[in-house]
Amino acid sequence: MGVQDFLVVTVIGFCFQAQILSSQNLTCNPNDMKALEDFTSSLKTVVDGWGSSFSSDCCKWEGITCNSSSSLGIGLNNSIDTFRVVKLELPSKRLAGNLSASLGTLDQLRTLNLSHNLLMHSLPTSLFHLSNLELLDLSSNDFSGPIPVDIELPSIQFLDISQNLLNGSLPGSICDKNSTQLRVLNMATNYFSGNLPQGFGNCTSLEDLDLSTNYLTGTSDGISKGIFRLRKLTRLNIQDNMLSGALSEEIGNLINLVRLDISTNGFSGTIPDVFHSLGRLQNFIAHSNRFGGQIPPSLSSSSTISLLNLRNNSLEGSIALNCSAMISLTSLNLGSNLFDGPIPSNLPSCRHLSDVSLAHNNFPGEIPKSFENFHSLSYLSLSNSSISNVSSALQILQRCRNLTTLVLTLNFPGEQFPADPILHFEKLKVLIIAYCRLTGSIPQWLRTSSRLQLLDISWNQLEGAIPIWFGNFSNLFYLDISNNSLNGEIPRSLTGLPSLINWRCPTEEPSPDFPLFALRVSGRGLQYKRVWSFRPTLDFSNNNLSGAIWPDFRKLRSLHVLDLRYNRLSGPIPSSLSEMVSLETLDLSHNELSGVIPPSLVKLSFLSKFSVADNELYGVIPTGGQFLTFSSSSFEGNSLCGHDASPCPSGEDGPLGKWYGKSDKDYTGVIAGVCVGFVFGIACFIGIDRYIWTF
Ligand SMILES: *[C@@H]1O[C@H](CO)[C@@H](O)[C@H](O)[C@H]1NC(C)=O
Ligand SMILES: *[C@@H]1O[C@H](CO)[C@@H](O)[C@H](O)[C@H]1NC(C)=O
Ligand SMILES: *[C@@H]1O[C@H](CO)[C@@H](O)[C@H](O)[C@H]1NC(C)=O
Ligand SMILES: *[C@@H]1O[C@H](CO)[C@@H](O)[C@H](O)[C@H]1NC(C)=O
Ligand SMILES: *[C@@H]1O[C@H](CO)[C@@H](O)[C@H](O)[C@H]1NC(C)=O
Ligand SMILES: *[C@@H]1O[C@H](CO)[C@@H](O)[C@H](O)[C@H]1NC(C)=O
Ligand SMILES: *[C@@H]1O[C@H](CO)[C@@H](O)[C@H](O)[C@H]1NC(C)=O
Ligand SMILES: *[C@@H]1O[C@H](CO)[C@@H](O)[C@H](O)[C@H]1NC(C)=O
Ligand SMILES: *[C@@H]1O[C@H](CO)[C@@H](O)[C@H](O)[C@H]1NC(C)=O
Ligand SMILES: *[C@@H]1O[C@H](CO)[C@@H](O)[C@H](O)[C@H]1NC(C)=O
Ligand SMILES: *[C@@H]1O[C@H](CO)[C@@H](O)[C@H](O)[C@H]1NC(C)=O
Ligand SMILES: *[C@@H]1O[C@H](CO)[C@@H](O)[C@H](O)[C@H]1NC(C)=O
């Protein structure tokens, strides 16, 4: 049998023979084998597919590549040293434990990818002396401590240690020892502190540098001898650090930049007028700094900038963009500055501009008539910007054919909500006109916005009834009409809202690439969220609604928040509400509800907030499920007994007796409730409190 015949036989599956062949001939270098054994013994977990095959050829183990994969080599060459480990790739394998220094002896290694595991403790120094290593990806682990000072990786091209717990200072010398091919360096989301080292200036081939979300300090004058020399950089991310002082004009040296993000630092002074040099820059993100003065002319006439975010600075004066020059601009966020003067009437001539926030500035006056021709506009926020005349604003904006999201919160104080029957917002998906103290009733023209997904007209002074046609909004999943003076019954049609019966996470966010809302996240400060982070909600609280709670609410199996507190609702609490399986919040407090609390409600296993306080309920408080977690304030102001409120008279009998002790031992609800984030959180929204601020 010739060698080739033999190979054909092996290839078609005589594994046993192949095993013998390979264990004799195709073995990895014994030193490499030893290194890999040490690697596995410092792990707390086993590597899938490695455990049983120690005796045979490590070149065949999953994730290992040796420097010959050519099957023709097999059997022709008896030299055992020929096959060396050149790649070790085990990303996302749930590997836990320490990373062994032995990997430093894999001196032929070119690729090491152990990203997205649970590896911890320090990074072995030996890894940073691998002379052939081209790609090192240790991102998204739990490595801690400093990174070695003397780095010598002459072949390195790609180095990613982001998303770990590393601290200490950045390795300024990383490129001093001939790392001249380094193109990508990512150290983001760690605990690095100290200055941005000048030594990075030796990394002359860097194209992508990400140092964001660390604790770096210092001024940009300090880095000008380093980073600002890297002329090949296309992406520079230094956002979310503690850098301060003026932004050096030398940033203009980075002529190849496509994306520059310096947001959430303490930069002050004026933005340098160097954007004519940055002839490829598309994204400039500088929000949440302390820049003052005006937008520099070279920036307000940049033909390449597509995304400009200067929110949350102290920029002032009137906004003067040259829209004939800004032909690439699609997204403009100038919110939360000190801009004043009129709303720039030339914005519609920025041909591709689709997302605009000018919120939280001071533009007394009306929306310019020219906005009638703003056909590229998709998202507009003018919250809290002193604009007046809601009637004219809506007349003009209805002509913006592509408008899908409109946020006008905190304007037009005390004006009347226009009832004009001819207003027509066909494409609108999100409408927020809250905190305006608008008078009048919910206008008929809203009917035409049949694609509405999110409607918030809370904190106005609207009177009259909730229209029956709200039930026709087939995409509506978030409705907040709280804090008005609405009266009458809750229309029964709302119990048929399709998006609350069967909510599917939409694939298309109404306003891409634009964080819309600030949410107060308990203990973690502000987060900026998009529309899909809202939980399916009906908030009717603080009105004068009367009548009963429809038993048919049971159909709303996708509803997460039902808030009916502070109304005048009466009648019983329907026991069918227990079928609203997604409910996390059910607040019926401060109404005139009577009867008993249906024991079936203990089946609502995701319920974390529940109140029926201040009603006319009586009888026994159900026990079990999530009810074990509610405090007595959820039940006060009624004639209820049980729970830890007031003990029921012993031997209580009669109509309530049959519920006694029924689901005492039912803890499954509590356990399920803990998992709420996993069941509903990942696919779409992350359960967060209300937003406090719209941009
Ligand atoms: C390698 O394989 C060839 C062909 O199967 C065989 O003749 C040779 O003895 C093997 N070498 C070793 C070192 O086992
Ligand atoms: C076998 O090994 C020798 C030296 O060790 C090398 O020159 C030769 O190219 C190898 N042959 C094959 C087919 O790999
Ligand atoms: C694998 O790498 C070693 C060390 O550089 C070398 O001696 C050997 O020839 C290489 N083998 C192949 C098949 O490329
Ligand atoms: C490492 O592996 C992960 C998961 O397969 C992959 O997403 C990542 O791009 C790899 N890293 C590099 C630098 O190729
Ligand atoms: C892992 O490293 C830490 C700190 O370097 C050490 O205390 C621990 O003993 C190591 N564990 C193993 C299993 O090697
Ligand atoms: C790094 O973190 C460790 C604890 O993980 C701490 O002991 C050490 O002081 C920190 N070093 C610096 C420079 O912050
Ligand atoms: C850098 O590389 C050159 C040649 O590629 C070599 O002569 C020099 O010694 C190297 N320098 C260091 C610091 O390794
Ligand atoms: C660049 O590296 C050399 C050593 O090769 C060093 O002397 C020099 O100071 C480095 N440059 C900077 C800006 O750190
Ligand atoms: C505004 O910027 C400051 C300073 O960077 C930051 O502390 C604050 O959280 C930012 N506020 C908002 C609403 O983003
Ligand atoms: C606006 O830009 C255009 C095109 O670049 C230019 O011709 C015009 O002079 C600029 N206008 C102003 C006021 O700077
Ligand atoms: C309006 O939106 C559509 C689809 O999103 C888009 O194709 C069209 O170009 C937009 N119109 C304008 C004037 O930008
Ligand atoms: C609205 O703007 C005013 C003045 O700029 C400011 O004082 C106030 O805090 C803002 N209100 C909200 C809710 O952001």
Side-chain angles (χ1 to χ4, degrees), residues 42-108:
S42 72
L43 296 177
K44 288 188 202 152
T45 49
V46 292
V47 186
D48 275 350
W50 281 27
S52 58
S53 36
F54 265 151
S55 55
S56 69
D57 176 20
C58 78
C59 290
K60 291 213 169 125
W61 297 353
E62 183 184 351
I64 300 281
T65 309
C66 290
N67 65 345
S68 172
S69 52
S70 150
S71 47
L72 282 177
I74 300 172
L76 291 181
N77 212 323
N78 296 340
S79 167
I80 220 167
D81 248 337
T82 304
F83 304 101
R84 302 293 313 272
V85 175
V86 294
K87 289 187 184 179
L88 173 51
E89 294 167 301
L90 294 168
S92 308
K93 292 280 188 275
R94 298 181 169 273
L95 303 181
N98 292 359
L99 188 53
S100 166
S102 67
L103 292 185
T105 65
L106 296 173
D107 58 27
Q108 296 303 308

Coordinates of all heavy atoms in Angstrom, one line a residue, residues 42-108:
S42 N -3.4 24.8 35.5 CA -3.7 26.0 36.3 C -5.2 26.5 36.1 O -5.6 27.5 36.7 CB -2.7 27.1 35.9 OG -3.0 27.6 34.6
L43 N -5.9 25.8 35.3 CA -7.3 26.1 35.1 C -8.2 25.4 36.2 O -7.8 24.3 36.6 CB -7.8 25.7 33.7 CG -7.2 26.4 32.5 CD1 -7.8 25.8 31.2 CD2 -7.5 27.9 32.6
K44 N -9.3 25.9 36.5 CA -10.2 25.2 37.4 C -11.2 24.4 36.6 O -12.0 23.7 37.1 CB -11.0 26.3 38.2 CG -10.2 27.0 39.3 CD -11.2 27.8 40.1 CE -10.6 28.9 40.8 NZ -11.5 30.0 41.0
T45 N -11.2 24.6 35.3 CA -12.2 23.9 34.4 C -11.4 23.1 33.5 O -10.2 23.2 33.3 CB -13.0 25.0 33.6 OG1 -12.1 25.9 33.0 CG2 -14.0 25.7 34.5
V46 N -12.1 22.1 32.9 CA -11.4 21.3 31.8 C -11.7 22.0 30.5 O -12.7 22.6 30.3 CB -11.9 19.9 31.8 CG1 -11.5 19.2 33.1 CG2 -13.4 19.8 31.7
V47 N -10.8 21.8 29.6 CA -11.0 22.3 28.2 C -11.7 21.2 27.4 O -11.2 20.1 27.4 CB -9.7 22.6 27.5 CG1 -9.9 23.3 26.2 CG2 -8.9 23.5 28.4
D48 N -12.9 21.5 26.9 CA -13.6 20.5 26.1 C -12.7 19.8 25.1 O -12.1 20.5 24.3 CB -14.8 21.2 25.4 CG -16.0 21.4 26.3 OD1 -16.0 20.8 27.3 OD2 -16.9 22.1 25.9
G49 N -12.8 18.5 25.1 CA -12.1 17.8 24.0 C -10.6 17.6 24.3 O -9.9 17.1 23.5
W50 N -10.1 18.2 25.4 CA -8.6 18.0 25.7 C -8.4 16.9 26.7 O -7.4 16.1 26.5 CB -8.1 19.3 26.3 CG -7.8 20.4 25.3 CD1 -8.4 20.6 24.1 CD2 -6.8 21.4 25.4 NE1 -7.9 21.7 23.5 CE2 -6.9 22.2 24.3 CE3 -5.9 21.7 26.4 CZ2 -6.1 23.3 24.1 CZ3 -5.1 22.8 26.2 CH2 -5.2 23.6 25.0
G51 N -9.2 16.7 27.6 CA -9.0 15.9 28.8 C -8.5 14.5 28.4 O -7.5 14.0 28.9
S52 N -9.2 13.8 27.5 CA -9.0 12.4 27.2 C -7.9 12.2 26.2 O -7.4 11.1 26.0 CB -10.2 11.8 26.7 OG -10.7 12.5 25.6
S53 N -7.4 13.3 25.6 CA -6.5 13.1 24.5 C -5.0 13.5 24.8 O -4.2 13.7 23.9 CB -7.0 13.9 23.2 OG -7.6 15.1 23.6
F54 N -4.7 13.6 26.1 CA -3.4 14.0 26.4 C -2.3 13.1 25.8 O -1.2 13.6 25.5 CB -3.2 14.0 28.0 CG -3.4 15.4 28.5 CD1 -3.9 15.5 29.8 CD2 -3.2 16.5 27.8 CE1 -4.1 16.8 30.3 CE2 -3.4 17.8 28.3 CZ -3.9 17.9 29.6
S55 N -2.6 11.9 25.7 CA -1.6 11.0 25.3 C -1.3 11.1 23.8 O -0.2 10.7 23.3 CB -2.0 9.5 25.6 OG -3.3 9.3 25.0
S56 N -2.2 11.6 23.0 CA -2.0 11.7 21.6 C -1.5 13.1 21.2 O -1.0 13.8 21.9 CB -3.2 11.3 20.8 OG -4.3 12.2 21.0
D57 N -1.8 13.4 20.0 CA -1.2 14.6 19.4 C -1.9 15.9 19.7 O -3.0 16.1 19.3 CB -1.2 14.4 17.8 CG -0.7 15.6 17.1 OD1 0.0 16.4 17.7 OD2 -1.0 15.7 15.9
C58 N -1.2 16.8 20.4 CA -1.9 18.1 20.8 C -2.2 18.9 19.6 O -3.0 19.8 19.7 CB -1.0 18.8 21.8 SG 0.4 19.7 21.1
C59 N -1.6 18.7 18.5 CA -1.9 19.5 17.3 C -3.3 19.2 16.8 O -3.9 20.0 16.1 CB -1.0 19.1 16.1 SG 0.7 19.7 16.4
K60 N -3.9 18.2 17.3 CA -5.3 17.9 16.9 C -6.3 18.4 18.0 O -7.5 18.2 17.8 CB -5.5 16.4 16.8 CG -4.7 15.8 15.6 CD -5.4 14.7 14.9 CE -4.8 14.3 13.6 NZ -4.4 12.9 13.6
W61 N -5.8 18.9 19.1 CA -6.8 19.3 20.1 C -7.6 20.5 19.6 O -7.1 21.4 18.8 CB -6.1 19.7 21.4 CG -5.4 18.6 22.0 CD1 -5.4 17.3 21.7 CD2 -4.5 18.7 23.2 NE1 -4.6 16.5 22.5 CE2 -4.1 17.3 23.4 CE3 -4.0 19.7 24.0 CZ2 -3.2 17.0 24.5 CZ3 -3.2 19.4 25.0 CH2 -2.8 18.1 25.3
E62 N -8.8 20.7 20.1 CA -9.6 21.8 19.7 C -8.9 23.1 20.1 O -8.3 23.3 21.1 CB -10.9 21.7 20.4 CG -11.9 22.9 20.0 CD -13.2 22.9 20.7 OE1 -13.4 22.0 21.5 OE2 -13.9 23.9 20.6
G63 N -8.9 24.0 19.1 CA -8.4 25.3 19.4 C -6.9 25.5 19.2 O -6.3 26.5 19.3
I64 N -6.2 24.3 18.9 CA -4.8 24.4 18.6 C -4.5 24.3 17.1 O -5.1 23.5 16.4 CB -4.0 23.2 19.3 CG1 -4.3 23.2 20.8 CG2 -2.6 23.2 19.0 CD1 -3.4 24.1 21.6
T65 N -3.6 25.1 16.7 CA -3.2 25.0 15.3 C -1.6 24.8 15.3 O -1.0 25.6 16.0 CB -3.5 26.2 14.4 OG1 -4.9 26.5 14.6 CG2 -3.2 26.0 13.0
C66 N -1.1 23.8 14.7 CA 0.3 23.7 14.5 C 0.8 24.2 13.2 O -0.1 24.5 12.3 CB 0.8 22.2 14.7 SG 0.5 21.7 16.4
N67 N 2.0 24.4 13.0 CA 2.5 25.0 11.8 C 2.5 24.1 10.6 O 3.1 24.5 9.6 CB 3.8 25.8 12.0 CG 4.9 24.8 12.3 OD1 4.7 23.6 12.6 ND2 6.2 25.3 12.2
S68 N 1.9 23.0 10.7 CA 1.6 22.3 9.4 C 0.3 21.6 9.5 O 0.0 20.8 10.4 CB 2.7 21.2 9.2 OG 2.2 20.4 8.1
S69 N -0.6 21.9 8.6 CA -1.9 21.3 8.6 C -2.0 20.5 7.3 O -2.9 19.8 7.0 CB -3.0 22.3 8.7 OG -2.8 23.3 7.7
S70 N -0.9 20.5 6.5 CA -0.9 19.8 5.3 C -0.8 18.3 5.5 O 0.2 17.8 6.0 CB 0.3 20.3 4.4 OG 0.7 19.3 3.6
S71 N -1.8 17.6 5.1 CA -1.8 16.1 5.4 C -0.7 15.4 4.6 O -0.3 14.3 4.9 CB -3.2 15.5 5.1 OG -3.6 16.0 3.9
L72 N -0.3 16.0 3.5 CA 0.8 15.4 2.8 C 2.1 15.3 3.5 O 2.9 14.4 3.3 CB 1.0 16.2 1.5 CG 0.0 15.9 0.4 CD1 0.2 16.7 -0.8 CD2 -0.1 14.4 0.0
G73 N 2.2 16.1 4.5 CA 3.4 16.1 5.4 C 3.4 14.8 6.2 O 4.5 14.4 6.6
I74 N 2.3 14.3 6.5 CA 2.2 13.2 7.4 C 2.9 12.0 6.9 O 2.7 11.6 5.7 CB 0.7 12.8 7.7 CG1 0.0 14.0 8.3 CG2 0.6 11.6 8.6 CD1 -1.5 13.8 8.4
G75 N 3.7 11.4 7.7 CA 4.4 10.2 7.3 C 5.6 10.4 6.4 O 6.4 9.5 6.3
L76 N 5.7 11.5 5.9 CA 6.9 11.7 5.0 C 8.1 12.2 5.8 O 9.2 12.1 5.4 CB 6.6 12.8 3.9 CG 5.6 12.3 2.9 CD1 5.4 13.4 1.8 CD2 6.1 11.0 2.2
N77 N 7.8 12.8 6.9 CA 8.9 13.4 7.7 C 8.9 12.9 9.1 O 7.9 13.1 9.8 CB 8.7 14.9 7.6 CG 10.0 15.6 7.7 OD1 10.9 15.1 8.3 ND2 10.1 16.7 6.9
N78 N 9.9 12.4 9.5 CA 9.9 11.8 10.8 C 10.4 12.7 11.9 O 10.4 12.4 13.1 CB 10.8 10.5 10.9 CG 10.3 9.5 10.0 OD1 9.1 9.5 9.7 ND2 11.1 8.5 9.6
S79 N 10.8 13.9 11.5 CA 11.3 14.9 12.5 C 10.2 15.4 13.4 O 9.3 16.0 13.0 CB 12.0 16.1 11.7 OG 12.2 17.1 12.7
I80 N 10.4 15.0 14.6 CA 9.3 15.2 15.6 C 9.2 16.7 16.0 O 8.1 17.2 16.3 CB 9.6 14.4 16.9 CG1 8.4 13.8 17.5 CG2 10.4 15.2 17.9 CD1 8.6 12.7 18.5
D81 N 10.3 17.5 15.8 CA 10.3 18.9 16.1 C 9.6 19.8 15.1 O 9.5 21.0 15.3 CB 11.7 19.3 16.3 CG 12.0 19.7 17.7 OD1 11.1 20.0 18.4 OD2 13.2 19.6 18.1
T82 N 9.2 19.2 14.0 CA 8.7 20.0 12.9 C 7.4 20.7 13.2 O 7.1 21.8 12.7 CB 8.4 19.0 11.7 OG1 9.6 18.4 11.4 CG2 8.0 19.8 10.5
F83 N 6.6 20.1 14.1 CA 5.3 20.7 14.3 C 5.2 21.4 15.6 O 5.3 20.9 16.7 CB 4.2 19.5 14.3 CG 4.3 18.8 13.0 CD1 4.9 17.5 12.9 CD2 3.8 19.3 11.8 CE1 5.0 16.9 11.7 CE2 3.9 18.6 10.6 CZ 4.5 17.4 10.6
R84 N 5.0 22.7 15.5 CA 5.0 23.6 16.7 C 3.6 24.3 16.8 O 3.0 24.6 15.8 CB 6.1 24.7 16.5 CG 7.5 24.1 16.4 CD 8.0 23.4 17.6 NE 7.7 24.2 18.8 CZ 8.5 25.1 19.3 NH1 9.7 25.3 18.8 NH2 8.2 25.8 20.4
V85 N 3.2 24.6 18.0 CA 1.9 25.2 18.2 C 2.1 26.7 17.8 O 2.9 27.4 18.3 CB 1.5 25.2 19.7 CG1 0.2 26.0 19.9 CG2 1.3 23.7 20.1
V86 N 1.3 27.1 16.8 CA 1.3 28.5 16.4 C 0.0 29.3 16.7 O 0.0 30.5 16.7 CB 1.6 28.6 14.8 CG1 3.0 28.1 14.5 CG2 0.5 27.9 14.0
K87 N -1.0 28.6 17.0 CA -2.3 29.2 17.4 C -2.9 28.5 18.6 O -3.0 27.3 18.5 CB -3.3 29.3 16.2 CG -2.9 30.2 15.1 CD -4.1 30.3 14.1 CE -3.6 31.1 12.9 NZ -4.8 31.2 12.0
L88 N -3.3 29.3 19.5 CA -4.1 28.8 20.6 C -5.4 29.7 20.7 O -5.3 30.8 21.1 CB -3.3 28.8 21.9 CG -4.0 28.5 23.2 CD1 -4.7 27.1 23.1 CD2 -3.0 28.4 24.4
E89 N -6.5 29.1 20.3 CA -7.7 29.9 20.2 C -8.8 29.2 21.0 O -9.4 28.2 20.5 CB -8.1 30.1 18.8 CG -7.2 30.9 18.0 CD -7.4 30.8 16.5 OE1 -7.3 29.7 15.9 OE2 -7.7 31.8 15.9
L90 N -9.1 29.7 22.2 CA -10.2 29.1 23.0 C -11.1 30.2 23.5 O -11.3 30.3 24.8 CB -9.6 28.3 24.2 CG -8.8 27.0 23.8 CD1 -8.0 26.5 25.0 CD2 -9.8 26.0 23.2
P91 N -11.7 31.0 22.7 CA -12.6 32.1 23.2 C -13.9 31.5 23.6 O -14.3 30.5 23.1 CB -12.7 33.0 22.0 CG -12.5 32.2 20.8 CD -11.5 31.1 21.2
S92 N -14.6 32.1 24.6 CA -15.9 31.8 25.0 C -16.0 30.3 25.3 O -16.9 29.6 24.9 CB -16.9 32.1 23.9 OG -16.8 33.4 23.4
K93 N -15.1 29.8 26.1 CA -15.1 28.4 26.5 C -15.4 28.3 28.0 O -15.2 27.2 28.6 CB -13.8 27.7 26.2 CG -13.6 27.6 24.7 CD -14.4 26.4 24.1 CE -14.1 26.1 22.7 NZ -14.8 26.9 21.7
R94 N -15.8 29.3 28.7 CA -16.0 29.3 30.1 C -14.8 28.8 30.9 O -14.9 28.2 32.0 CB -17.2 28.4 30.5 CG -18.5 29.0 29.9 CD -19.7 28.1 30.2 NE -20.9 28.7 29.8 CZ -21.6 29.6 30.6 NH1 -21.1 29.9 31.8 NH2 -22.7 30.2 30.1
L95 N -13.6 29.1 30.4 CA -12.4 28.7 31.1 C -12.3 29.6 32.4 O -12.4 30.8 32.3 CB -11.2 28.9 30.3 CG -11.2 28.1 28.9 CD1 -9.9 28.4 28.2 CD2 -11.3 26.7 29.1
A96 N -12.0 28.9 33.5 CA -11.8 29.7 34.7 C -10.5 29.3 35.4 O -10.0 28.2 35.1 CB -13.0 29.4 35.7
G97 N -10.0 30.2 36.2 CA -8.7 29.9 36.9 C -7.6 30.9 36.5 O -7.9 31.9 35.9
N98 N -6.4 30.4 36.7 CA -5.2 31.3 36.4 C -4.7 31.0 35.0 O -5.0 29.9 34.4 CB -4.1 31.0 37.4 CG -4.4 31.5 38.8 OD1 -5.5 32.0 39.0 ND2 -3.5 31.2 39.7
L99 N -4.0 32.0 34.5 CA -3.3 31.7 33.2 C -1.9 31.4 33.5 O -1.2 32.2 34.1 CB -3.4 33.0 32.3 CG -2.9 32.9 30.9 CD1 -3.6 31.7 30.2 CD2 -3.2 34.2 30.2
S100 N -1.5 30.2 33.0 CA -0.1 29.7 33.4 C 1.0 30.4 32.6 O 0.8 30.7 31.4 CB -0.1 28.2 33.0 OG 1.2 27.8 33.0
A101 N 2.0 30.7 33.4 CA 3.2 31.4 32.7 C 3.8 30.5 31.7 O 4.6 31.0 30.8 CB 4.2 31.8 33.8
S102 N 3.5 29.2 31.7 CA 4.1 28.3 30.8 C 3.8 28.6 29.4 O 4.6 28.2 28.5 CB 3.6 26.9 31.1 OG 2.2 26.8 30.8
L103 N 2.7 29.3 29.1 CA 2.4 29.6 27.7 C 3.5 30.5 27.1 O 3.7 30.5 25.9 CB 1.1 30.4 27.6 CG -0.2 29.6 28.0 CD1 -1.4 30.4 27.7 CD2 -0.2 28.3 27.1
G104 N 4.3 31.1 27.9 CA 5.4 31.9 27.5 C 6.5 31.1 26.8 O 7.4 31.6 26.1
T105 N 6.4 29.7 27.0 CA 7.4 28.9 26.3 C 7.0 28.4 24.9 O 7.7 27.8 24.2 CB 7.8 27.6 27.1 OG1 6.6 26.8 27.2 CG2 8.2 28.0 28.5
L106 N 5.8 28.8 24.5 CA 5.3 28.5 23.2 C 5.9 29.5 22.2 O 5.2 30.4 21.7 CB 3.8 28.5 23.1 CG 3.0 27.5 24.0 CD1 1.5 27.7 23.9 CD2 3.3 26.1 23.5
D107 N 7.2 29.3 21.9 CA 7.8 30.5 21.3 C 7.5 30.6 19.8 O 7.9 31.6 19.2 CB 9.4 30.4 21.5 CG 10.0 29.1 21.0 OD1 9.4 28.5 20.1 OD2 11.0 28.7 21.6
Q108 N 6.8 29.7 19.3 CA 6.3 29.8 17.9 C 4.9 30.4 17.8 O 4.4 30.6 16.7 CB 6.4 28.5 17.1 CG 7.7 27.9 17.0 CD 8.7 28.9 16.3 OE1 8.4 29.4 15.2 NE2 9.8 29.2 16.9

